[in-house]
Amino acid sequence: MLVHEFLEDSARRTPDKVALICEGQRLTYRQVEADANRVANGLRAAGVQRGDRVGVWLPNSVEAVLAIFGILKAGATFVVVNSTTKPDKLAYVLNNCQATALFAPERQAEAVADVMASVPILKFAVLCGKDADEKTVVSGTMQAFARLVAVAPSDRPPCSCIDIDLACLIYTSGSTGDPKGVMSTHANVAFAASSIIHYLQNGPDDVIINVLPLSFDYGLYQLLMTFKFGGTLVLERSFAYPAAILKRIAEERVTGLPGVPTLFAMLLQLDLSRFDLSSLRYLTNTAAALPVEHIQRLRAAFPWAKLYSMYGLTECKRTLYLPPEELDRRPGSVGIAIPGTEVWIEDEAGRRLGPGEVGELVVRGSHVMQGYWQDAAATAERYRPGRYPAERLLYTGDLFKMDEEGFFYFVARKDDIIKTRGEKVAPKEVESVLYQLPGVVEAAVIGVPDALLGEAVKAFVVCAPDANLTERDVLRHCAQYLEDFAMPKQVEFRTSFPRTESGKIQKRDLR
Amino acid sequence: MSTTMSIETQIRHYILENFLYTKDEGKLRNNTSFLEDGIVDSTGILELLLFVEETFGVQVEDDEVTPENFDSVERLTRYICMKKGMPC
């Protein structure tokens, strides 16, 4: 099955059902289908071809949804980039995947012009937002979204791709610092979506609220899965306003709330009894573990709803889920393999380990993605040959153990990636930004425990003797290059760093 | 007693110094959306809320923390004036 067929099938079955509620608009499946067809036809007319990569640098919005499905319908591969990603890193991603077109906010038109200058293969940009109307013609290489859809027909373009073509690249931080694009075929996405829908028991009556960015696979799959099972998606820009989200849940009779530990921690600070949340059928958590105390408080606050603790990584979308009926018995576990897949734990010699033993989690199934875009070395490290010729196993880089009944428990990461607010941050990326600041001699970045964020980014800096840098100077510099979630929350100045015998900075001793 | 102008100025200074790390007034327009422009992130809103309560002595109710009240200097100034019963 192709990913855009999720939308097409639902539009055929229930054309008049509301598919998407976003920014005050309520769009039916018929409308989303017609508008996504217009985007596809517009892209094709502008020269986008089967297999091209097209960037989507937009906040959660109607245009982002239409862009994703329009790109797929044009036979191309979509690449959603976080809307808080700075132009330099955006240009890196677009050059890395050799994108030929980009959807971006109209208010970023100047930045887009700079990005286009540094990404020669980028042919044109589509500017989105209420200020970009049909008449807006910024330049020959930029056009308004409204114009793209106004001039293009709403007929479905002929389908040119098959399910082993790439549906999307999802960029994720690796320990090397540079983001890597995880290649997902249509078949990978369709399988992963079906498996998750199966254990969440989603159906057309479900109304899902998504407050997570579509650049994050967890947020993206809320859209893809909802269109697959023919439900309704309430798409919000972020979870910055938790009370507003609770109000939306009550107004729209939302049944599914996907969250990350930071969101749930924010909700638990509110007086939940003031909102009618009785429609919620389930809550899901992934990206980082929920503290057991928060699990208990969520269970008490939503006794009628199921709470799913889950674990996964972009490289295979989702890996494990804990059936809700097991939660009270083993609150620290993230469960078992998702339906239709298998997992086990291996030691460094490749031996499978039994209950209680700690080793690396290995994943096998049709959700194991294709590897990293044009990065054979990183791909070979994570994805290794399996039992059959075309098969790849995913070595997660995460240490796990299993109990006697076969339920899995996260132990630690093998690398030093920081998980903050549900997002992954590579210390190396933040360090290289710090090194660009004149006066910084050495920099080291670690994650420190934080009640709200899970982990907070902490920067240690050694300055040149004549540099008068303050914490504010360091943060101002970082804010020019880093996404909001990757910003250091603390900066500590040191005169020197602890070192290993080989001279490397000993981060363990900075903690 | 704070005037509307001084409320606006205090908010501007707080945002510039704590979220944009600068004193350059030109970096922030009064109608710039904090969220859309990535100035304040989802957990930053909580810090902003504490600042508003402490600086202006107003009690912010949970359901008043909305983009309509908090998402720009202009909106936040209007909200605080409303809470304090001052003309905007």
Short mmCIF file of all heavy atoms in Angstrom, two decimals, chain A residues 39-98:
data_model
loop_
_atom_site.label_atom_id
_atom_site.label_comp_id
_atom_site.label_asym_id
_atom_site.label_seq_id
_atom_site.Cartn_x
_atom_site.Cartn_y
_atom_site.Cartn_z
N VAL A 39 -1.97 20.32 -4.97
CA VAL A 39 -0.55 20.50 -4.64
C VAL A 39 0.30 19.59 -5.53
O VAL A 39 1.30 20.02 -6.13
CB VAL A 39 -0.27 20.20 -3.15
CG1 VAL A 39 1.22 20.19 -2.87
CG2 VAL A 39 -0.98 21.22 -2.25
N ALA A 40 -0.14 18.33 -5.66
CA ALA A 40 0.63 17.37 -6.48
C ALA A 40 0.72 17.84 -7.92
O ALA A 40 1.80 17.83 -8.53
CB ALA A 40 -0.03 15.99 -6.41
N ASN A 41 -0.42 18.26 -8.47
CA ASN A 41 -0.42 18.72 -9.87
C ASN A 41 0.43 19.98 -10.02
O ASN A 41 1.13 20.14 -11.02
CB ASN A 41 -1.85 18.95 -10.34
CG ASN A 41 -2.59 17.62 -10.55
OD1 ASN A 41 -2.02 16.69 -11.12
ND2 ASN A 41 -3.83 17.52 -10.09
N GLY A 42 0.35 20.86 -9.02
CA GLY A 42 1.16 22.08 -9.06
C GLY A 42 2.64 21.75 -9.02
O GLY A 42 3.44 22.33 -9.76
N LEU A 43 3.01 20.80 -8.17
CA LEU A 43 4.42 20.41 -8.07
C LEU A 43 4.91 19.78 -9.38
O LEU A 43 6.01 20.07 -9.86
CB LEU A 43 4.63 19.42 -6.91
CG LEU A 43 4.47 19.98 -5.50
CD1 LEU A 43 4.57 18.84 -4.47
CD2 LEU A 43 5.52 21.04 -5.19
N ARG A 44 4.06 18.93 -9.94
CA ARG A 44 4.45 18.28 -11.21
C ARG A 44 4.63 19.30 -12.32
O ARG A 44 5.59 19.25 -13.10
CB ARG A 44 3.41 17.23 -11.60
CG ARG A 44 3.52 15.97 -10.74
CD ARG A 44 2.24 15.15 -10.78
NE ARG A 44 1.93 14.64 -12.11
CZ ARG A 44 2.18 13.41 -12.53
NH1 ARG A 44 2.75 12.55 -11.71
NH2 ARG A 44 1.85 13.02 -13.74
N ALA A 45 3.70 20.27 -12.36
CA ALA A 45 3.79 21.32 -13.39
C ALA A 45 5.07 22.14 -13.20
O ALA A 45 5.66 22.63 -14.17
CB ALA A 45 2.56 22.22 -13.32
N ALA A 46 5.50 22.26 -11.94
CA ALA A 46 6.71 23.05 -11.66
C ALA A 46 7.98 22.22 -11.85
O ALA A 46 9.08 22.72 -11.61
CB ALA A 46 6.65 23.60 -10.25
N GLY A 47 7.83 20.97 -12.22
CA GLY A 47 9.01 20.18 -12.56
C GLY A 47 9.40 19.10 -11.57
O GLY A 47 10.42 18.43 -11.75
N VAL A 48 8.62 18.92 -10.48
CA VAL A 48 8.96 17.87 -9.52
C VAL A 48 8.67 16.51 -10.15
O VAL A 48 7.61 16.29 -10.74
CB VAL A 48 8.17 18.04 -8.20
CG1 VAL A 48 8.33 16.82 -7.30
CG2 VAL A 48 8.66 19.30 -7.47
N GLN A 49 9.63 15.61 -10.04
CA GLN A 49 9.50 14.30 -10.66
C GLN A 49 9.50 13.17 -9.64
O GLN A 49 9.91 13.37 -8.49
CB GLN A 49 10.66 14.08 -11.63
CG GLN A 49 10.62 15.08 -12.76
CD GLN A 49 11.76 14.89 -13.74
OE1 GLN A 49 12.69 14.12 -13.48
NE2 GLN A 49 11.69 15.59 -14.85
N ARG A 50 9.08 12.01 -10.08
CA ARG A 50 9.09 10.82 -9.23
C ARG A 50 10.47 10.66 -8.59
O ARG A 50 11.50 10.77 -9.26
CB ARG A 50 8.78 9.60 -10.09
CG ARG A 50 8.88 8.31 -9.32
CD ARG A 50 8.56 7.13 -10.23
NE ARG A 50 8.77 5.89 -9.49
CZ ARG A 50 8.70 4.69 -10.03
NH1 ARG A 50 8.42 4.56 -11.32
NH2 ARG A 50 8.90 3.62 -9.31
N GLY A 51 10.47 10.42 -7.28
CA GLY A 51 11.73 10.18 -6.59
C GLY A 51 12.44 11.42 -6.09
O GLY A 51 13.39 11.33 -5.32
N ASP A 52 11.99 12.62 -6.53
CA ASP A 52 12.61 13.86 -6.03
C ASP A 52 12.36 13.99 -4.52
O ASP A 52 11.35 13.50 -4.02
CB ASP A 52 11.96 15.10 -6.68
CG ASP A 52 12.53 15.37 -8.07
OD1 ASP A 52 13.36 14.57 -8.54
OD2 ASP A 52 12.12 16.38 -8.68
N ARG A 53 13.25 14.69 -3.83
CA ARG A 53 13.00 15.01 -2.43
C ARG A 53 12.48 16.44 -2.35
O ARG A 53 13.01 17.34 -3.02
CB ARG A 53 14.27 14.89 -1.57
CG ARG A 53 14.54 13.49 -1.06
CD ARG A 53 15.11 12.57 -2.09
NE ARG A 53 16.29 13.14 -2.72
CZ ARG A 53 16.66 12.89 -3.96
NH1 ARG A 53 15.99 12.03 -4.71
NH2 ARG A 53 17.73 13.46 -4.47
N VAL A 54 11.44 16.63 -1.54
CA VAL A 54 10.87 17.96 -1.37
C VAL A 54 10.81 18.27 0.13
O VAL A 54 10.27 17.47 0.91
CB VAL A 54 9.45 18.04 -2.00
CG1 VAL A 54 8.85 19.43 -1.77
CG2 VAL A 54 9.51 17.72 -3.49
N GLY A 55 11.35 19.41 0.53
CA GLY A 55 11.40 19.79 1.94
C GLY A 55 10.11 20.46 2.39
O GLY A 55 9.44 21.14 1.60
N VAL A 56 9.77 20.24 3.65
CA VAL A 56 8.60 20.90 4.25
C VAL A 56 9.09 21.53 5.56
O VAL A 56 9.24 20.84 6.57
CB VAL A 56 7.46 19.89 4.53
CG1 VAL A 56 6.25 20.60 5.15
CG2 VAL A 56 7.06 19.15 3.27
N TRP A 57 9.37 22.83 5.51
CA TRP A 57 9.90 23.54 6.68
C TRP A 57 8.78 24.40 7.24
O TRP A 57 8.77 25.60 7.09
CB TRP A 57 11.09 24.41 6.24
CG TRP A 57 11.84 25.13 7.31
CD1 TRP A 57 12.23 24.66 8.52
CD2 TRP A 57 12.32 26.49 7.23
NE1 TRP A 57 12.92 25.64 9.21
CE2 TRP A 57 12.99 26.75 8.45
CE3 TRP A 57 12.24 27.50 6.27
CZ2 TRP A 57 13.58 28.00 8.71
CZ3 TRP A 57 12.83 28.72 6.53
CH2 TRP A 57 13.51 28.97 7.74
N LEU A 58 7.79 23.74 7.80
CA LEU A 58 6.58 24.45 8.23
C LEU A 58 6.19 24.00 9.64
O LEU A 58 6.43 22.86 10.02
CB LEU A 58 5.41 24.09 7.31
CG LEU A 58 5.46 24.56 5.85
CD1 LEU A 58 4.27 23.99 5.10
CD2 LEU A 58 5.47 26.08 5.77
N PRO A 59 5.56 24.92 10.39
CA PRO A 59 4.97 24.48 11.65
C PRO A 59 3.73 23.62 11.34
O PRO A 59 3.29 23.57 10.18
CB PRO A 59 4.55 25.79 12.32
CG PRO A 59 4.36 26.76 11.21
CD PRO A 59 5.31 26.35 10.12
N ASN A 60 3.19 22.95 12.34
CA ASN A 60 1.97 22.17 12.13
C ASN A 60 0.88 23.09 11.58
O ASN A 60 0.54 24.10 12.21
CB ASN A 60 1.48 21.55 13.45
CG ASN A 60 2.40 20.43 13.92
OD1 ASN A 60 3.41 20.13 13.28
ND2 ASN A 60 2.05 19.81 15.04
N SER A 61 0.35 22.77 10.42
CA SER A 61 -0.60 23.65 9.74
C SER A 61 -1.31 22.85 8.65
O SER A 61 -0.87 21.76 8.29
CB SER A 61 0.15 24.82 9.10
OG SER A 61 1.17 24.33 8.24
N VAL A 62 -2.40 23.43 8.13
CA VAL A 62 -3.11 22.78 7.03
C VAL A 62 -2.16 22.62 5.83
O VAL A 62 -2.11 21.57 5.20
CB VAL A 62 -4.36 23.61 6.63
CG1 VAL A 62 -4.99 23.05 5.36
CG2 VAL A 62 -5.36 23.63 7.78
N GLU A 63 -1.39 23.67 5.56
CA GLU A 63 -0.48 23.59 4.41
C GLU A 63 0.54 22.47 4.56
O GLU A 63 0.90 21.83 3.58
CB GLU A 63 0.28 24.91 4.20
CG GLU A 63 -0.57 26.01 3.62
CD GLU A 63 -0.90 27.06 4.66
OE1 GLU A 63 -1.02 26.67 5.85
OE2 GLU A 63 -1.04 28.22 4.30
N ALA A 64 1.01 22.25 5.79
CA ALA A 64 1.99 21.18 6.00
C ALA A 64 1.37 19.82 5.64
O ALA A 64 2.01 18.98 5.00
CB ALA A 64 2.50 21.18 7.45
N VAL A 65 0.12 19.62 6.06
CA VAL A 65 -0.56 18.35 5.75
C VAL A 65 -0.74 18.20 4.25
O VAL A 65 -0.46 17.13 3.67
CB VAL A 65 -1.94 18.31 6.47
CG1 VAL A 65 -2.76 17.12 6.00
CG2 VAL A 65 -1.75 18.30 7.98
N LEU A 66 -1.20 19.27 3.60
CA LEU A 66 -1.43 19.20 2.15
C LEU A 66 -0.12 19.01 1.41
O LEU A 66 -0.05 18.29 0.41
CB LEU A 66 -2.15 20.47 1.67
CG LEU A 66 -3.55 20.68 2.27
CD1 LEU A 66 -4.12 22.02 1.82
CD2 LEU A 66 -4.48 19.53 1.90
N ALA A 67 0.94 19.64 1.91
CA ALA A 67 2.25 19.50 1.26
C ALA A 67 2.70 18.04 1.34
O ALA A 67 3.12 17.46 0.33
CB ALA A 67 3.27 20.41 1.94
N ILE A 68 2.60 17.42 2.52
CA ILE A 68 3.05 16.04 2.69
C ILE A 68 2.33 15.11 1.72
O ILE A 68 2.96 14.33 0.99
CB ILE A 68 2.83 15.58 4.16
CG1 ILE A 68 3.85 16.28 5.06
CG2 ILE A 68 2.89 14.07 4.30
CD1 ILE A 68 3.57 16.14 6.55
N PHE A 69 0.99 15.22 1.68
CA PHE A 69 0.24 14.32 0.79
C PHE A 69 0.40 14.71 -0.68
O PHE A 69 0.41 13.84 -1.56
CB PHE A 69 -1.22 14.21 1.23
CG PHE A 69 -1.37 13.26 2.38
CD1 PHE A 69 -1.30 13.70 3.69
CD2 PHE A 69 -1.50 11.90 2.15
CE1 PHE A 69 -1.38 12.82 4.76
CE2 PHE A 69 -1.57 11.00 3.21
CZ PHE A 69 -1.52 11.45 4.51
N GLY A 70 0.54 16.00 -0.95
CA GLY A 70 0.75 16.45 -2.33
C GLY A 70 2.07 15.93 -2.87
O GLY A 70 2.17 15.49 -4.02
N ILE A 71 3.10 15.99 -2.04
CA ILE A 71 4.43 15.51 -2.46
C ILE A 71 4.35 14.01 -2.78
O ILE A 71 4.85 13.54 -3.81
CB ILE A 71 5.47 15.79 -1.35
CG1 ILE A 71 5.69 17.30 -1.20
CG2 ILE A 71 6.79 15.07 -1.63
CD1 ILE A 71 6.40 17.71 0.10
N LEU A 72 3.68 13.25 -1.90
CA LEU A 72 3.56 11.81 -2.13
C LEU A 72 2.79 11.53 -3.42
O LEU A 72 3.17 10.66 -4.21
CB LEU A 72 2.83 11.15 -0.95
CG LEU A 72 3.59 11.09 0.37
CD1 LEU A 72 2.67 10.64 1.50
CD2 LEU A 72 4.80 10.17 0.25
N LYS A 73 1.71 12.26 -3.61
CA LYS A 73 0.89 12.04 -4.80
C LYS A 73 1.65 12.41 -6.08
O LYS A 73 1.34 11.90 -7.16
CB LYS A 73 -0.40 12.86 -4.71
CG LYS A 73 -1.47 12.26 -3.79
CD LYS A 73 -2.54 13.29 -3.51
CE LYS A 73 -3.76 12.71 -2.80
NZ LYS A 73 -4.66 12.04 -3.75
N ALA A 74 2.64 13.29 -5.95
CA ALA A 74 3.46 13.63 -7.12
C ALA A 74 4.54 12.57 -7.35
O ALA A 74 5.36 12.70 -8.25
CB ALA A 74 4.09 15.01 -6.91
N GLY A 75 4.57 11.55 -6.49
CA GLY A 75 5.56 10.48 -6.65
C GLY A 75 6.88 10.81 -6.00
O GLY A 75 7.87 10.09 -6.15
N ALA A 76 6.92 11.91 -5.25
CA ALA A 76 8.17 12.36 -4.65
C ALA A 76 8.26 11.93 -3.18
O ALA A 76 7.36 11.29 -2.66
CB ALA A 76 8.29 13.88 -4.78
N THR A 77 9.36 12.29 -2.53
CA THR A 77 9.66 11.90 -1.15
C THR A 77 9.65 13.16 -0.30
O THR A 77 10.33 14.13 -0.62
CB THR A 77 11.07 11.27 -1.12
OG1 THR A 77 11.07 10.13 -1.99
CG2 THR A 77 11.46 10.83 0.28
N PHE A 78 8.86 13.14 0.79
CA PHE A 78 8.82 14.36 1.60
C PHE A 78 9.84 14.31 2.72
O PHE A 78 10.19 13.23 3.23
CB PHE A 78 7.40 14.64 2.13
CG PHE A 78 6.89 13.67 3.17
CD1 PHE A 78 7.24 13.81 4.51
CD2 PHE A 78 6.03 12.63 2.82
CE1 PHE A 78 6.76 12.94 5.48
CE2 PHE A 78 5.55 11.75 3.78
CZ PHE A 78 5.91 11.90 5.12
N VAL A 79 10.32 15.50 3.09
CA VAL A 79 11.33 15.64 4.15
C VAL A 79 10.85 16.78 5.05
O VAL A 79 10.97 17.94 4.68
CB VAL A 79 12.71 16.00 3.56
CG1 VAL A 79 13.78 16.01 4.65
CG2 VAL A 79 13.10 15.05 2.43
N VAL A 80 10.26 16.43 6.19
CA VAL A 80 9.77 17.50 7.07
C VAL A 80 10.91 17.94 7.98
O VAL A 80 11.57 17.11 8.60
CB VAL A 80 8.56 17.04 7.93
CG1 VAL A 80 7.99 18.22 8.71
CG2 VAL A 80 7.46 16.43 7.07
N VAL A 81 11.15 19.25 8.02
CA VAL A 81 12.20 19.80 8.87
C VAL A 81 11.53 20.66 9.93
O VAL A 81 10.60 21.42 9.62
CB VAL A 81 13.17 20.67 8.03
CG1 VAL A 81 14.28 21.24 8.91
CG2 VAL A 81 13.76 19.85 6.88
N ASN A 82 11.95 20.53 11.17
CA ASN A 82 11.36 21.29 12.27
C ASN A 82 11.33 22.78 11.93
O ASN A 82 12.32 23.33 11.44
CB ASN A 82 12.18 21.05 13.55
CG ASN A 82 11.48 21.55 14.78
OD1 ASN A 82 11.16 22.73 14.90
ND2 ASN A 82 11.21 20.65 15.70
N SER A 83 10.21 23.43 12.24
CA SER A 83 10.08 24.85 11.85
C SER A 83 10.99 25.75 12.67
O SER A 83 11.21 26.90 12.30
CB SER A 83 8.64 25.31 11.97
OG SER A 83 8.22 25.24 13.31
N THR A 84 11.55 25.23 13.78
CA THR A 84 12.49 26.07 14.54
C THR A 84 13.95 25.79 14.12
O THR A 84 14.87 26.36 14.70
CB THR A 84 12.35 25.90 16.07
OG1 THR A 84 12.83 24.62 16.46
CG2 THR A 84 10.91 26.04 16.51
N THR A 85 14.14 24.91 13.15
CA THR A 85 15.50 24.68 12.63
C THR A 85 15.99 25.95 11.94
O THR A 85 15.26 26.58 11.19
CB THR A 85 15.47 23.49 11.64
OG1 THR A 85 15.16 22.31 12.38
CG2 THR A 85 16.82 23.30 10.95
N LYS A 86 17.24 26.30 12.22
CA LYS A 86 17.78 27.54 11.67
C LYS A 86 18.24 27.34 10.21
O LYS A 86 18.52 26.20 9.80
CB LYS A 86 18.96 28.02 12.52
CG LYS A 86 18.56 28.33 13.97
CD LYS A 86 17.57 29.49 14.05
CE LYS A 86 17.18 29.86 15.47
NZ LYS A 86 16.24 28.92 16.10
N PRO A 87 18.26 28.43 9.44
CA PRO A 87 18.56 28.32 7.99
C PRO A 87 19.83 27.53 7.65
O PRO A 87 19.83 26.76 6.70
CB PRO A 87 18.66 29.78 7.54
CG PRO A 87 17.75 30.51 8.48
CD PRO A 87 17.90 29.81 9.81
N ASP A 88 20.90 27.68 8.44
CA ASP A 88 22.15 26.96 8.13
C ASP A 88 21.94 25.45 8.13
O ASP A 88 22.41 24.72 7.26
CB ASP A 88 23.24 27.26 9.18
CG ASP A 88 23.82 28.64 8.97
OD1 ASP A 88 23.42 29.30 7.99
OD2 ASP A 88 24.66 29.06 9.80
N LYS A 89 21.24 24.97 9.17
CA LYS A 89 21.03 23.54 9.28
C LYS A 89 20.02 23.06 8.24
O LYS A 89 20.15 21.97 7.69
CB LYS A 89 20.57 23.20 10.70
CG LYS A 89 20.42 21.71 10.95
CD LYS A 89 20.27 21.43 12.43
CE LYS A 89 19.79 20.02 12.69
NZ LYS A 89 19.51 19.79 14.11
N LEU A 90 19.02 23.91 7.97
CA LEU A 90 18.06 23.58 6.92
C LEU A 90 18.80 23.38 5.60
O LEU A 90 18.57 22.42 4.87
CB LEU A 90 17.02 24.71 6.79
CG LEU A 90 16.06 24.61 5.61
CD1 LEU A 90 15.13 23.41 5.76
CD2 LEU A 90 15.24 25.89 5.47
N ALA A 91 19.72 24.29 5.30
CA ALA A 91 20.48 24.20 4.05
C ALA A 91 21.31 22.91 4.04
O ALA A 91 21.41 22.24 3.01
CB ALA A 91 21.39 25.42 3.90
N TYR A 92 21.86 22.55 5.20
CA TYR A 92 22.62 21.30 5.28
C TYR A 92 21.73 20.11 4.89
O TYR A 92 22.11 19.26 4.08
CB TYR A 92 23.19 21.09 6.70
CG TYR A 92 23.81 19.72 6.86
CD1 TYR A 92 25.13 19.49 6.48
CD2 TYR A 92 23.04 18.64 7.31
CE1 TYR A 92 25.68 18.22 6.57
CE2 TYR A 92 23.58 17.37 7.39
CZ TYR A 92 24.90 17.16 7.04
OH TYR A 92 25.44 15.91 7.10
N VAL A 93 20.53 20.07 5.49
CA VAL A 93 19.61 18.96 5.23
C VAL A 93 19.21 18.93 3.75
O VAL A 93 19.23 17.87 3.11
CB VAL A 93 18.36 19.05 6.15
CG1 VAL A 93 17.26 18.09 5.70
CG2 VAL A 93 18.75 18.78 7.60
N LEU A 94 18.87 20.10 3.21
CA LEU A 94 18.41 20.15 1.82
C LEU A 94 19.53 19.77 0.86
O LEU A 94 19.29 19.09 -0.14
CB LEU A 94 17.85 21.53 1.49
CG LEU A 94 16.62 21.96 2.31
CD1 LEU A 94 16.23 23.40 1.98
CD2 LEU A 94 15.44 21.03 2.07
N ASN A 95 20.76 20.18 1.16
CA ASN A 95 21.89 19.77 0.33
C ASN A 95 22.15 18.28 0.47
O ASN A 95 22.44 17.59 -0.50
CB ASN A 95 23.16 20.54 0.73
CG ASN A 95 23.35 21.79 -0.10
OD1 ASN A 95 23.09 21.78 -1.32
ND2 ASN A 95 23.76 22.87 0.54
N ASN A 96 22.03 17.80 1.72
CA ASN A 96 22.29 16.39 1.97
C ASN A 96 21.34 15.51 1.16
O ASN A 96 21.76 14.53 0.56
CB ASN A 96 22.17 16.10 3.47
CG ASN A 96 22.46 14.66 3.81
OD1 ASN A 96 21.55 13.85 3.97
ND2 ASN A 96 23.73 14.31 3.90
N CYS A 97 20.06 15.87 1.15
CA CYS A 97 19.09 15.01 0.45
C CYS A 97 18.85 15.48 -0.97
O CYS A 97 18.05 14.89 -1.70
CB CYS A 97 17.78 14.90 1.23
SG CYS A 97 16.80 16.38 1.29
N GLN A 98 19.55 16.55 -1.39
CA GLN A 98 19.42 17.08 -2.75
C GLN A 98 17.96 17.38 -3.10
O GLN A 98 17.42 16.92 -4.11
CB GLN A 98 20.03 16.09 -3.75
CG GLN A 98 21.54 15.97 -3.61
CD GLN A 98 22.26 17.19 -4.17
OE1 GLN A 98 22.36 17.37 -5.37
NE2 GLN A 98 22.72 18.08 -3.29
#
